[in-house]
Amino acid sequence: MANRDTLTVDQLDANPPAPRGKNHLLAIAINDYAHCTPLNNAVFDVEAFIQVLLKRYHFEENHITFLKDTEASKRNIERAFDRLIDRIEPADSLIVYFSGHGRYHPRRGGFWLPVEAGQGDDDWTDYLSNSLVKEYLSKIDCFHTFLIADSCFSGALFIDKSKEKFSGDRRDTEKSRWGLTSGKKEIVSDGVPGEHSPFSTALLDVLEKADQPLGVMRICDLVLEKVAANAQQTPMGSPLLVPGHQGGQMVLYFRQDEEQDWLAMGSSVEGCKTYLRQYPNGKYQFLANQVITKDREEQAWTKAKAAGSKFALLDFERNYPDSEPVRSGQLDRLIGSMDEEELWANAQRSNTVSAYRNYLIRSIIKKYEREAAAAIEAIAQQEREPAAWAAAKQANTVKAYEQYLLDYPQGVYHTEAKKTILALEAEKRKIAELDKTQKEDAFAHDQPKEVNKTEEFHKVLGNWVKRNPALSIVGMVLVIGFILIQSWPEKKAPSKEVLGLISSIDQNMKLIPGGKFKMGSNETNAQTDEKPVHEVILNDFYLGKTEVTQEQWRAVMGNDPPELGFKGCDQCPVENVSWDNVQQFIQKLNAQTGKNYRLPTEAEWEYAARGGAISQDFTYAGSNNLDEVAWYDSNSGIKTHPVAQKKANELGLYDMSGNVYEWCQDWYDAEYYQKSPANNPQGPNTGSLRVNRGGSWSSRPIYARVAYRRLDSPGLRDSYLGFRLARQQ
């Protein structure tokens, strides 16, 4: 028999395209009729047909409707057709397979017999007529229709007798309506019980052995040839008399191995989309969706960057909060770079401490960090100089003027201070000489009187001793003791409450076992002064579990810092204290307690914040979720909070991230990590700026990282600056 397959070479490629739309199957099979002779293999045949479609071709279970035996009533069959009218899209294809009894009448035409149908002359209305099925098929707007009927007299149901032979090129790109029946107007065999019918045997053989995509013309030719050679029935295959046929044919493309399909498709976005169309419930659907989502994010990121707008970047962050540019800090850095020059220009234009500090807080890349720090120090010096000069003038002592010159060697009042010192020293020498002369004169004038008084006192005392010889020694002791008691200065003892608060500082100290750790960060959002990461070894030390509170400061110093920002919260960390103020606090505390408190070194601070020897390598102190452990700009309500309200880190230390930045003992050097000693580093020997760490209530998350380094003038006071204490054993 001539090869009537119409697929061209390009359509028979080893890796064929996926179907244009979805493939649907309506399968109807009846063995156990209510009033007709039962069949042996109808259900068996259709079940095998469904399995081969699912296994080898692009059919999915959720697009298959299978009515068998009692389910295959006339009402249910019509409902199934009716649902297909709504469900099928114009690009989809449909196969309808009926396997059961058929009946034919010269004037009434052909019929399918549903499960409840009888065989009497009054039962014709209980059947599904040829015209009714064609009416349903004409209403189903699909690209291809392929009707298969395995029943007696099936040739009379749908096939136009004048068009039993068809040939020529037929592509699946043109619409088609085809049919294949198991015989003409004749009785066809149901087969031996337990085996497939002759028609089903041939059809399944063609589908199972195909080594290239099958067009329906090829299927019809092969089935007709196989059945005609082995059974007493003649299958028919040709276009149907149903509107919509445009000379094409449906092609059954292979469902290739899902593993191979994924290997071939999973490396590209379009391949993943194709995979999901072919395997909507496939085992790699999550990975495919990830690839597609990542591509969508990358396109959106490219578009946001190309827009050159901060609003476009923020819109991207809102739509893709978990994307790589957001998580890695790339978006923050890009926004920062857009703002950098504008922020710096604004700071220079304002030329105030708050303006430069605003630059340091908001800047991501900190291009002008050193310039800003230097400007802050210069302005702070300028702002403090008038007050320092006024204080020196008020004290009007050589020491006060010398301190002014030490603090402001190039100050506005430099010359006047030196002149005043010379004048005060000259006056001091003059007064000293005059005082010496006056004292000598007074001594010469008063000496006799002094001697007389002494003699008189000796006489009185001698007489008293003579009158009271037994009490002479005791009396003398009492007299001397009385004199000493009367002259001893009265000293007011601290209250129990104050002593308790001072004691609470020691009780708050936590032993931090020494160890080895990697200091610094190589993360994508790490600052340049956090590199290189280097190994540090520390001895044991003690560190406060919390920052020093307002009431603890008051207990030691006697009053609040003059510029305390958040007053009235005893348990809140003390703030608006400079590094210099903290040294005064520590000096006084050590004098009161006899201990050796100090600020932690920068290495000690980071080691403890990371969790010491039991660190879990969190980004923040105790967690990768900043809200768990810190008060920062998104949750602080623009203020400090009582200490120890958030979760502690691995060592039981609170607020190492957020609440207030914490002063460290070290001078700041951006390049110190390149030359830091490994054992107990103490920071640079000299400098002009001091380190503080940990972020504050006003910080963005990037500044609350355990590796982030901050610098400020040691004389700077601000509401985001506080401290915690350290000491040795």
Side-chain angles (χ1 to χ4, degrees):
M1 179 177 292
N3 183 355
R4 293 171 58 213
D5 183 33
T6 62
L7 294 178
T8 57
V9 174
D10 63 308
Q11 292 171 292
L12 298 179
D13 186 75
N15 294 301
R20 171 179 293 100
K22 301 181 184 68
N23 288 332
H24 296 264
L25 170 65
L26 172 57
I28 306 161
I30 308 169
N31 282 340
D32 302 326
Y33 277 91
H35 306 293
C36 299
T37 305
L39 297 174
N40 297 316
N41 303 310
V43 174
F44 182 42
D45 292 345
V46 174
E47 287 177 339
F49 178 78
I50 292 172
Q51 289 306 310
V52 74
L53 289 185
L54 289 173
K55 180 181 179 181
R56 298 205 70 195
Y57 302 95
H58 285 288
F59 282 81
E60 307 297 335
E61 289 187 6
N62 58 336
H63 296 138
I64 294 177
T65 302
F66 183 23
L67 303 176
K68 63 180 181 180
D69 289 334
T70 57
E71 298 171 342
S73 65
K74 181 181 179 183
R75 181 179 180 84
N76 285 346
I77 294 172
E78 290 194 44
R79 282 181 174 174
F81 273 116
D82 192 65
R83 280 194 292 270
L84 289 174
I85 293 173
D86 295 327
R87 183 181 303 174
I88 289 183
E89 300 292 334
D92 295 346
S93 297
L94 170 65
I95 295 179
V96 179
Y97 190 158
F98 175 79
S99 182
H101 281 304
R103 194 172 180 186
Y104 177 76
H105 188 276
R107 294 187 302 276
R108 294 185 176 91
F111 295 86
W112 287 349
L113 272 62
V115 67
E116 77 275 19
Q119 301 183 72
D121 291 337
D122 296 330
D123 294 324
W124 292 99
T125 56
D126 296 334
Y127 307 156
L128 269 81
S129 68
N130 178 21
S131 59
L132 179 61
V133 175
K134 287 196 294 182
E135 182 181 347
Y136 274 118
L137 292 179
S138 67
K139 292 179 180 179
I140 297 174
D141 183 15
C142 59
F143 206 82
H144 296 297
T145 300
F146 185 28
L147 177 65
I148 303 172
D150 186 5
S151 62
C152 295
F153 309 108
S154 56
L157 294 176
F158 304 104
I159 306 302
D160 186 340
K161 185 175 180 180
S162 65
K163 298 180 181 179
E164 293 180 3
K165 302 290 183 180
F166 291 87
S167 62
D169 269 351
R170 294 183 181 273
R171 295 177 175 269
D172 67 341
T173 55
E174 302 294 336
K175 288 187 174 184
S176 69
R177 304 290 184 265
W178 279 78
L180 174 62
T181 65
S182 58
K184 298 183 178 181
K185 295 179 185 178
E186 57 189 338
I187 295 174
V188 297
S189 173
D190 183 35
V192 179
E195 298 181 4
H196 294 298
S197 72
F199 175 78
S200 178
T201 299
L203 178 60
L204 293 173
D205 186 65
V206 170
L207 295 175
E208 289 172 345
K209 293 181 179 179
D211 59 1
Q212 62 185 24
L214 283 171
V216 296
M217 287 181 64
R218 180 68 171 166
I219 294 173
C220 292
D221 283 345
L222 292 174
V223 170
L224 190 152
E225 181 179 352
K226 289 176 180 291
V227 175
N230 296 283
Q232 300 300 313
Q233 59 192 72
T234 306
M236 299 176 64
S238 63
L240 300 175
L241 287 175
V242 174
H245 184 70
Q246 299 294 326
Q249 65 168 331
M250 181 179 182
V251 176
L252 300 183
Y253 290 104
F254 293 136
R255 176 196 293 277
Q256 294 184 332
D257 180 79
E258 185 177 356
E259 298 288 343
Q260 293 182 1
D261 279 349
W262 174 247
L263 289 175
M265 301 175 185
S267 60
S268 70
V269 175
E270 290 305 317
C272 287
K273 291 178 180 178
T274 301
Y275 170 84
L276 289 174
R277 286 197 299 270
Q278 294 184 18
Y279 304 97
N281 299 311
K283 63 191 295 187
Y284 299 107
Q285 60 174 317
F286 177 75
L287 293 177
N289 280 316
Q290 275 191 323
V291 172
I292 294 170
T293 300
K294 183 175 177 57
D295 177 71
R296 189 179 300 119
E297 288 180 359
E298 289 175 350
Q299 291 186 34
W301 177 236
T302 300
K303 183 177 179 181
K305 289 192 295 182
S309 163
K310 187 164 58 175
F311 298 106
L313 293 172
L314 293 173
D315 189 54
F316 174 85
E317 182 180 31
R318 183 168 51 255
N319 293 328
Y320 302 98
D322 298 322
S323 62
E324 176 63 21
V326 175
R327 287 187 290 105
S328 67
Q330 186 179 357
L331 181 138
D332 279 341
R333 288 193 296 275
L334 189 54
I335 291 177
S337 67
M338 290 181 176
D339 289 342
E340 183 71 15
E341 297 302 328
E342 180 182 355
L343 284 171
W344 180 241
N346 289 339
Q348 289 183 305
R349 187 163 46 251
S350 299
N351 198 34
T352 63
V353 170
S354 61
Y356 287 114
R357 190 176 298 139
N358 180 61
Y359 163 79
L360 290 173
I361 291 173
R362 294 183 57 191
S363 171
I364 301 297
I365 60 177
K366 289 185 170 52
K367 179 179 178 181
Y368 302 103
E369 183 176 32
R370 291 187 178 182
E371 291 87 343
I376 288 173
E377 176 62 18
I379 294 172
Q381 287 279 66
Q382 292 174 4
E383 291 177 350
R384 290 195 298 268
E385 185 178 359
W389 176 246
K393 289 184 68 176
Q394 184 176 4
N396 199 35
T397 64
V398 171
K399 184 177 181 181
Y401 288 114
E402 285 178 342
Q403 184 63 49
Y404 166 81
L405 289 173
L406 182 64
D407 293 338
Y408 304 95
Q410 305 298 325
V412 176
Y413 309 100
H414 177 270
T415 303
E416 187 175 351
K418 283 194 170 183
K419 289 181 179 179
T420 305
I421 288 173
L422 293 174
L424 286 174
E425 288 178 341
E427 185 179 358
K428 184 178 180 181
R429 287 193 298 272
K430 183 177 179 180
I431 291 173
E433 291 175 359
L434 180 61
D435 186 55
K436 180 179 179 182
T437 302
Q438 290 176 343
K439 284 182 178 179
E440 289 175 350
D441 292 344
F443 179 79
H445 181 268
D446 295 336
Q447 185 65 25
K449 293 182 180 180
E450 182 67 27
V451 171
N452 291 338
K453 287 182 178 180
T454 302
E455 291 176 352
E456 185 178 353
F457 174 75
H458 287 168
K459 289 179 181 179
V460 174
L461 183 61
N463 292 333
W464 185 82
V465 170
K466 289 177 180 179
R467 289 195 301 267
N468 302 281
L471 300 176
S472 60
I473 296 176
V474 175
M476 291 176 69
V477 171
L478 290 174
V479 169
I480 294 171
F482 177 77
I483 293 171
L484 290 174
I485 291 171
Q486 291 297 317
S487 62
W488 196 265
E490 182 180 358
K491 183 177 181 180
K492 184 178 180 181
S495 68
K496 289 183 179 180
E497 181 182 1
V498 170
L499 292 173
L501 288 171
I502 295 174
S503 176
S504 72
I505 294 175
D506 188 61
Q507 296 168 5
N508 192 46
M509 302 302 287
K510 171 86 172 181
L511 175 63
I512 310 299
K516 182 190 304 181
F517 80 109
K518 298 291 186 182
M519 187 172 183
S521 175
N522 282 329
E523 297 175 358
T524 53
N525 59 353
Q527 308 295 306
T528 55
D529 63 355
E530 298 171 26
K531 302 173 182 179
V533 173
H534 56 289
E535 187 173 276
V536 170
I537 302 171
L538 296 174
N539 296 336
D540 295 352
F541 62 98
Y542 282 86
L543 189 68
K545 288 186 280 189
T546 66
E547 297 148 337
V548 172
T549 64
Q550 294 182 20
E551 66 175 1
Q552 289 173 334
W553 176 278
R554 255 192 328 272
V556 173
M557 302 300 287
N559 48 41
D560 284 329
E563 299 176 13
L564 185 66
F566 303 103
K567 297 181 180 180
C569 179
D570 287 348
Q571 294 303 312
C572 288
V574 68
E575 28 75 22
N576 252 303
V577 289
S578 68
W579 189 93
D580 295 333
N581 296 149
V582 174
Q583 299 308 308
Q584 295 168 2
F585 173 90
I586 290 173
Q587 184 179 7
K588 197 166 185 179
L589 176 63
N590 288 340
Q592 293 172 343
T593 61
K595 297 186 182 295
N596 188 24
Y597 290 102
R598 58 179 174 81
L599 285 175
T601 66
E602 188 176 14
E604 288 173 338
W605 190 97
E606 184 169 329
Y607 176 71
R610 288 183 179 277
I614 56 174
S615 172
Q616 298 182 41
D617 294 325
F618 293 127
T619 299
Y620 311 108
S623 178
N624 287 328
N625 180 356
L626 188 55
D627 281 295
E628 288 185 351
V629 294
W631 298 108
Y632 66 110
D633 66 348
S634 293
N635 67 5
S636 68
I638 320 179
K639 64 179 181 179
T640 59
H641 288 260
V643 298
Q645 287 191 337
K646 291 289 187 177
K647 174 184 171 185
N649 77 347
E650 298 94 318
L651 292 174
L653 306 176
Y654 297 90
D655 301 303
M656 294 290 279
S657 288
N659 221 359
V660 289
Y661 278 101
E662 300 177 12
W663 286 112
C664 293
Q665 187 64 31
D666 305 33
W667 290 107
Y668 173 80
D669 181 352
E671 299 176 352
Y672 182 67
Y673 283 10
Q674 300 175 19
K675 54 198 172 190
S676 170
N679 293 324
N680 300 302
Q682 302 296 306
N685 293 327
T686 60
S688 60
L689 302 169
R690 294 285 185 177
V691 174
N692 52 76
R693 301 291 291 263
S696 75
W697 55 268
S698 65
S699 297
R700 296 182 67 181
I702 191 173
Y703 305 125
R705 297 178 299 109
V706 292
Y708 179 72
R709 306 177 69 202
R710 184 179 173 82
L711 64 153
D712 273 306
S713 165
L716 177 68
R717 294 186 293 271
D718 210 309
S719 59
Y720 61 78
L721 279 171
F723 69 104
R724 76 176 66 221
L725 291 169
R727 66 173 173 82
Q728 301 306 123
Q729 296 184 3

